Amino acid sequence: NLDGREKITIRQIAETIEMYGENDDRTKYRVYGQFPAIGERQLISGAAIDAALKYEAEGFEYMPLMLGVDVARFGDCETILQYRQGRKVYEPIICPTMDLMKTATFVSEQINRKKPLTTSVDGIGIGAGVVDRLRQLGHSVLECNSGNMSESPRYLNKRAEAYFALKEFVEGGCELPPDKLLTEDLRMLSYDFTDKGRMRIDRKQDFIDEFGRSPDRGDALALTFFYPHGDVFYNREELEPETFMDT
C-alpha cells in the first residue's frame, strides 16, 4: 500500500474486474494503480497538472501565506495541513492520528510557527471541535462548510466554488509539490451539473466509493480558496452564508 491505494486481495481483484470490467476507471485505479481516463468532466486538465509539477514560482515570498486544514472524519482519512503562498503550493503536512484536542494542538503549533494570514478549517463533524479549540487557544480561524451557499449562482455550494478557483489557479500556472496523492486527487476529481444547471464537484464520499480512499490533500488545498483574503477583513456573517438546498 505504498502509493496510498487501499489494500486489495487476489479475491477482491477478481471481484472488482468481474463487477466493473477491465477497462473501468475503478478497476484501473484499484487493481492496476493507473489514473482514470481523462473524461469530458475532468475538473483540472492533466496537462496543467503536469506543467505545475515543473513550474517554479517566483515572488511568492512576498505574498500572504494561506493554510487549509482538512480534518479526518473517520478511519481511513488523514488530517492534512496544506500551505499555499502566491503561486507556490507547499508539501502537505500529515497530522499524526490523534484525538481532537491533540489534533488542535498540532495545528496550533503550526500556526504559531508559520503565522499564516488565514487558516481555513473544515468545520464539518469533528472539524467543528478543532475549530472551537483553536479559537479557545486564541487563533482566528475560518470555519468552512462545504454545503454553504456559494457567492456565485454558477456553483452549487462553497465546495464547488473553491474547487473551481483551484482549477483556475492550477491551469493559470502554479508550482505543485511532487506529492503523488495530491496530484492524484487533482487528476481524478470531476464535476457535474445539478438539475438547475449549477456546477457541483464530487462529494468526498463519492470519491471514496469510486477510488477507495479520501481526497484529503486536494480538499485541504481547496480550503485555501474558500474565502477571499488580503487587506480586507470580513465579519463572520459575511463569511458564513446560508446553506444551499439544491441537489
Side-chain angles (χ1 to χ4, degrees):
N1 194 30
L2 295 178
D3 62 359
R5 284 178 289 143
E6 61 180 335
K7 294 180 180 178
I8 186 168
T9 65
I10 293 176
R11 179 180 177 181
Q12 289 172 322
I13 289 173
E15 290 175 348
T16 299
I17 294 174
E18 182 179 357
M19 181 178 298
Y20 301 116
E22 285 275 0
N23 297 319
D24 187 88
D25 285 342
R26 286 161 288 194
T27 302
K28 289 179 181 178
Y29 181 72
R30 294 179 182 177
V31 177
Y32 303 115
Q34 300 173 355
F35 289 124
I38 296 177
E40 292 182 359
R41 291 181 178 172
Q42 181 186 23
L43 178 64
I44 302 174
S45 159
I49 294 171
D50 291 338
L53 291 169
K54 301 175 182 177
Y55 188 97
E56 293 186 8
E58 298 179 355
F60 60 88
E61 304 93 337
Y62 307 103
M63 302 296 289
L65 182 66
M66 326 300 294
L67 172 61
V69 183
D70 186 62
V71 181
R73 300 181 195 174
F74 34 79
D76 294 333
C77 296
E78 294 178 312
T79 294
I80 302 294
L81 284 70
Q82 181 64 70
Y83 286 100
R84 174 174 65 86
Q85 188 174 22
R87 309 303 298 183
K88 182 179 178 67
V89 177
Y90 292 89
E91 289 273 1
I93 297 172
I94 304 172
C95 176
T97 302
M98 298 183 288
D99 62 26
L100 185 153
M101 290 298 178
K102 290 181 179 178
T103 296
T105 299
F106 183 90
V107 176
S108 175
E109 290 172 350
Q110 281 289 321
I111 295 173
N112 288 333
R113 184 179 303 121
K114 304 227 175 145
K115 296 179 172 52
L117 175 66
T118 63
T119 300
S120 302
V121 183
D122 173 17
I124 298 176
I126 192 173
V130 173
V131 170
D132 290 342
R133 180 56 180 159
L134 288 172
R135 287 173 176 166
Q136 288 175 358
L137 293 172
H139 299 296
S140 177
V141 299
L142 298 172
E143 183 175 359
C144 301
N145 186 322
S146 296
N148 279 356
M149 186 175 69
S150 64
E151 294 185 19
S152 169
R154 297 176 59 202
Y155 308 110
L156 171 63
N157 51 28
K158 288 298 292 187
R159 177 178 175 80
E161 187 172 48
Y163 260 111
F164 270 91
L166 172 55
K167 168 185 171 67
E168 292 181 5
F169 174 76
V170 175
E171 294 184 353
C174 75
E175 179 180 340
L176 287 176
D179 184 90
K180 179 177 175 59
L181 294 183
L182 173 60
T183 54
E184 283 188 5
D185 288 354
L186 300 182
R187 288 182 193 276
M188 294 189 296
L189 277 163
S190 60
Y191 71 96
D192 205 340
F193 295 89
T194 70
D195 55 359
K196 295 183 179 180
R198 295 184 175 93
M199 289 181 283
R200 63 183 174 191
I201 301 298
D202 293 339
R203 295 179 306 147
K204 186 185 286 278
Q205 190 58 51
D206 292 336
F207 192 99
I208 293 171
D209 291 343
E210 185 163 0
F211 300 112
R213 67 172 184 81
S214 177
D216 302 315
R217 287 163 170 77
D219 283 355
L221 180 55
L223 284 168
T224 66
F225 292 92
F226 252 63
Y227 295 119
H229 64 274
D231 296 329
V232 180
F233 293 90
Y234 299 82
N235 63 40
R236 187 180 180 87
E237 288 72 24
E238 289 175 315
L239 293 178
E240 296 183 3
E242 62 183 311
T243 301
F244 205 20
M245 301 306 292
D246 235 20
T247 57

